[in-house]
Amino acid sequence: MKVSHLYIRLIAIIAIVLTACTGKEDEDPSKPSRVAFVIKAANDPSATDNELINTWFIAFADASGKICRTIERDATKTEPVDMEEFSTKLNPGTYKVYSFANIKPSELNLDLVEGKTIPDNIASYAWTDDVTKWGTDRLIPMTGMQTVNVTGQITQPFAVEVVRLVAKMELLYSNASQSDITLHSLSIHPIGTGNVMMFPDYNSLGSAPTLHPDADTITVTQTLDTNLTAGTERGFSHRFYMLESNAERFHPTGHYVLTLDLTHRSGETNSAARDTITMLTPELSYINRNDYILIPVRIADYVLKMDVRFYPPIGGYPAVVNEIKGGDYYISFGTEGLFAITPLMREGAATTPWMQPSELDIAIINITGDPIFTKDPSYDALSGEIIGELGTTTGTAIVTLSVAAKGSQLSYTRTVYIIREDRK
C-alpha cells in the first residue's frame, strides 16, 4: 500500500476593482465611487457544484465599525458559478469587509444589517457543525475578512477573499493483490471537532492552524461497504469533509492515523480473513480549512509470520506451540526462560524473500493480561527480535504489535497471545 498526500489550497477570491465611469461624480473624491466587484472561486479539478459559489453576502463597515453597505446575490440567480460580477457605490474611506459564501450571516448568529455596529470581538467568533454527517451535496460555507481603502480614484484594484471553513479529504483505493477485497470502513484520527474560528487566520494559512481554545478531536469512521476486484487500479474513491486540526498537538506521533477494516484472502492460510491495516501520514501533521488532501491507497499481498525461539533454564523443557488464527498468534511456553519472537514479512508471491529487519518498522503498541513476565517484551531493531523473559507465574499475556514495510507506509496490527503453562 502506498500512501501520499497533496495539498491544493482552495481560495475563493473576491476581486474588487474600481472601473472607469463617466461624469464628475467618479472624479470627485468627496462623492461615492462606482465600484465593480468580481467574486471568484479557485477550484481543484474535482470541484462539484456544492463547492462552487451558490450564494454570497458582503458587509462593509466604516472606520467606526458601523455597517454602511450590504450586498448579496440576487435570489433569482441559483446557478453555481466560478465567477460573478456586480457593482455598487461607496464613499471614499477605509472599510472592513466581511464576506460570506454559501452561508448567511444569520446562520452564524450575526446580525449584519445596515446601520448596526460590528461587534468588537467578531474576529474571535466561533463556528461549529457536525461535519462528519455532511453529505457530498452540502453547500460548503466560506468566510473572509479584510480591510480595503476606497480613495475615489477612477481605477483602484483591491481584493478580499472567502476561504472554505472545512477541508476536503479524498482517498483513491486500488487492489494490487491476487484476491478480491471487501472494504468495510475507514477510521481516521485525530480529526477536529467542536468550535473553529469563524474567520480565517491569514497568518496561519500554509502552516499549523490557529485552533479555537475549546477545539478537540475525535475518531471519524467512514462506512465503505465496497468490493475491490483483484488487480483493480483506482477502483474506488470517496471524499468527505472535516474541520481543521493539528495532529502535532493531539497525537503522540504528530501525524494522522488511518485504519482500514477489510476482508481479504490471507497470505498465510489463503482463507478469507478480516484484517485491520493501519496507515500513518508521515508528511501530514496538520489540516487547515480549505485544504484538499488526496491519498492513494494501494492494497497489496503480504505474508506475516512469527518466528519463535525459546531458551529455557537448565533442566527446563523447550516446549513451544505456535498457532495462527487469522491475524492472531498463540505462542505457548511450558516453563520459564528467555524467548525471542521475530516478526517476518514478505510480499504475497511465493518466491519473494522475507524482508530484513532494516526493511521493517516494528513497534509494541500495548501489553496487557496476566503478569507472566520477569522481563517485559521489548523490540530490538538491530536484531529484529522481540525479546522477553517468562517467570514461574502461569497465565496469558497479550502483546499488540504493528508491523510495517518501510516506504509503503503500510502497517499491520497483530495480536500475539503469549501463554505460560506448566508442563514440568
Side-chain angles (χ1 to χ4, degrees), residues 176-249:
S177 74
Q178 301 178 28
S179 67
D180 295 347
I181 291 175
T182 299
L183 304 175
H184 300 294
S185 65
L186 172 78
S187 298
I188 177 171
H189 70 282
I191 294 300
T193 186
N195 293 333
V196 296
M197 305 301 289
M198 183 182 298
F199 294 102
D201 178 2
Y202 297 98
N203 294 322
S204 71
L205 292 178
S207 60
T210 300
L211 299 179
H212 195 274
D214 67 352
D216 202 352
T217 61
I218 57 174
T219 297
V220 174
T221 299
Q222 297 284 324
T223 300
L224 303 178
D225 290 338
T226 300
N227 296 320
L228 281 181
T229 304
T232 302
E233 292 295 330
R234 296 188 65 170
F236 170 66
S237 68
H238 81 288
R239 63 183 173 91
F240 50 94
Y241 302 105
M242 60 185 64
L243 299 181
E244 58 191 6
S245 60
N246 187 351
E248 292 178 335
R249 174 178 167 184

Side-chain angles (χ1 to χ4, degrees), residues 359-390:
E359 299 176 278
L360 299 175
D361 283 325
I362 297 173
I364 295 176
I365 301 173
N366 198 16
I367 301 174
T368 59
D370 298 324
I372 60 175
F373 302 115
T374 56
K375 178 183 177 182
D376 284 343
S378 62
Y379 180 66
D380 185 332
L382 185 62
S383 66
E385 297 174 317
I386 296 170
I387 300 171
E389 184 172 1
L390 293 164

